[in-house]
Amino acid sequence: MRLGSLAPVLTFSGIAAVMVYALFYLDPSDIPSELLSKPAPEFKLDPVPDYGPGLEAADLKKGKVTLLNVFASWCVACLAEHPKLMELQKNGSVEIYGLNYKDKPDAAAEWLTRNGDPYSRTGMDKRGRVGINFGVYGVPETFVMSPDGKILDKIIGPITDDDLENRILPLVKEYNE
Amino acid sequence: MIERLQKILFQSLLAAVILLSTSAGAVFVENRLSDPKLEARAQVIAEGIRCLVCQNQSIMDSNADLAKDLRALVRERIQAGDSDDDVRQYLVDRYGDWVLLNPPFKLRTALLWIGPLLVFIGGGFAMFLFLRRRNDTAGITVAPKPLSEKEQAELDRLLTASDEESRS
């Protein structure tokens, strides 16, 4: 009987707990990638002018872990993560390929000239179709590719220090040993 | 008179709603397919595809760049002769079940679909128990023991006493 009178309070607490969890601990913009552990889709793209060579699916299967970074000159968050990519390229821990998403060739080239070029290959996805095949829904996104060209992980939004230390570098280490 | 006014009001409201809703749907139909049948199919599919940028809109309602690309893609697949399910599967392969506004019934989504029914049944059962218990207690109080002779005499005395008091 005493438990019965507590039922509404308990029900409410239960609902409130679920809501607090959903509000503070879940990120609705973090959509899990459908392509994890699947091979990269086929593509072949021309490079950003003067920032070649071009990029194709075969380049992702060269026997070492690579990063495929989706970027665009119109994307502000890309600018924010750019120094991190430059640093990665400088210390040579992992090779980075740039997928230039829905950009103008000149604008992309100018952006790379101004901010530095961390990519050893670039590909221009002018119509955004390669992006769709990769399940890209915003820029920047960064795919960690296995030595045989499978998608190991996908980082949505700018790479944070936490992403770098806990998601990217451990995978690089694991597969390159 | 009032009835006629109400009717006119209702009709004009209805007309406004219909006009507004059609114009809203017409905003984002760029590059329609030439075959109206195929175009209609493409639009029905697009209405069931979530825009990944503005998550609670379909790609038909969203003016995000990606939504535009996906609308074009749906039209392209339809034009190429894909069935409705093929088109949906094409998008699910890339973006997951998440891209469908109507989640498919799977083991993972079973709770989502059956949950409301379970709550309804559970609530109904709790209600049944509650009402039965209340009826039981009511049943007990309805038929109390009849008063003994002494009690009846006492009751009468009290009633007449209070009657006289109120009269005076």
Side-chain angles (χ1 to χ4, degrees):
Chain A
M1 190 57 218
R2 186 162 294 168
L3 210 88
S5 60
L6 274 177
V9 181
L10 290 177
T11 312
F12 175 75
S13 317
I15 294 171
V18 170
M19 284 183 168
V20 164
Y21 175 73
L23 188 60
F24 292 108
Y25 296 94
L26 292 181
D27 181 2
S29 69
D30 203 349
I31 304 167
S33 175
E34 184 67 12
L35 294 165
L36 287 190
S37 75
K38 286 186 189 154
E42 285 300 319
F43 66 95
K44 189 174 185 348
L45 294 171
D46 291 334
V48 175
D50 301 329
Y51 287 94
L55 187 63
E56 57 183 300
D59 296 325
L60 302 169
K61 309 174 190 168
K62 293 252 168 94
K64 58 186 178 224
V65 175
T66 49
L67 295 187
L68 180 67
N69 178 244
V70 186
F71 76 104
S73 68
W74 46 262
C75 150
V76 181
C78 298
L79 198 59
E81 84 169 355
H82 207 67
K84 209 149 279 166
L85 296 176
M86 291 302 289
E87 199 181 308
L88 267 177
Q89 188 254 349
K90 208 178 276 172
N91 66 31
S93 42
V94 62
E95 200 166 342
I96 310 165
Y97 297 146
L99 181 69
N100 185 234
Y101 183 72
K102 299 196 79 170
D103 211 346
K104 292 195 183 94
D106 295 344
E110 199 194 309
W111 194 81
L112 286 175
T113 311
R114 192 173 344 123
N115 302 305
D117 173 23
Y119 310 117
S120 46
R121 284 172 179 276
T122 57
M124 280 190 309
D125 182 18
K126 280 188 244 172
R127 293 178 64 214
R129 283 307 164 84
V130 175
I132 288 177
N133 283 339
F134 268 93
V136 169
Y137 65 92
V139 227
E141 282 185 16
T142 305
F143 294 86
V144 185
M145 307 299 301
S146 78
D148 56 347
K150 283 188 183 132
I151 295 169
L152 293 175
D153 200 359
K154 165 177 159 176
I155 287 137
I156 292 156
I159 300 170
T160 62
D161 285 328
D162 184 54
D163 292 331
L164 196 61
E165 262 154 50
N166 298 319
R167 292 172 72 179
I168 298 176
L169 293 179
L171 282 172
V172 173
K173 218 171 152 193
E174 184 190 332
Y175 278 86
N176 283 352
E177 258 167 19
Chain B
M1 183 62 197
I2 289 171
E3 239 169 67
R4 250 184 79 190
L5 260 176
Q6 274 179 337
K7 208 172 162 190
I8 290 167
L9 194 71
F10 176 74
Q11 278 169 345
S12 46
L13 261 175
L14 196 66
V17 166
I18 290 169
L19 281 176
L20 284 176
S21 57
T22 46
S23 67
V27 174
F28 300 125
V29 283
E30 65 288 290
N31 306 322
R32 291 161 183 263
L33 295 175
S34 47
D35 183 342
K37 251 190 203 158
L38 294 184
E39 173 63 24
R41 266 178 63 206
Q43 289 195 19
V44 168
I45 294 174
E47 271 160 18
I49 302 295
R50 183 191 304 277
C51 170
L52 293 116
V53 184
C54 324
Q55 294 181 356
N56 281 338
Q57 285 186 315
S58 77
I59 57 171
M60 211 58 203
D61 301 328
S62 171
N63 60 352
D65 241 19
L66 184 65
K68 209 157 94 190
D69 289 351
L70 290 178
R71 280 198 297 275
L73 192 73
V74 167
R75 288 198 172 97
E76 224 170 79
R77 305 303 313 171
I78 289 281
Q79 185 81 64
D82 279 12
S83 75
D84 293 8
D85 286 340
D86 286 345
V87 179
R88 288 195 192 96
Q89 192 56 45
Y90 182 92
L91 288 164
V92 167
D93 285 344
R94 283 154 184 77
Y95 290 104
D97 287 338
W98 170 257
V99 82
L100 302 174
L101 282 171
N102 247 340
F105 189 86
K106 286 182 174 177
L107 198 63
R108 263 188 70 191
T109 55
L111 196 64
L112 184 68
W113 282 104
I114 306 177
L117 189 69
L118 290 180
V119 169
F120 182 74
I121 293 173
F125 187 65
M127 181 103 108
F128 171 74
L129 285 183
F130 173 73
L131 287 178
R132 204 178 59 170
R133 202 169 56 193
R134 213 175 56 167
N135 276 352
D136 278 356
T137 43
I140 291 163
T141 47
V142 155
K145 255 191 331 190
L147 294 177
S148 68
E149 235 168 86
K150 207 173 151 199
E151 282 166 340
Q152 188 62 51
E154 177 70 1
L155 182 64
D156 288 345
R157 189 186 63 76
L158 281 171
L159 283 174
T160 43
S162 70
D163 270 1
E164 269 158 25
E165 210 169 275
S166 61
R167 236 173 266 147
S168 63

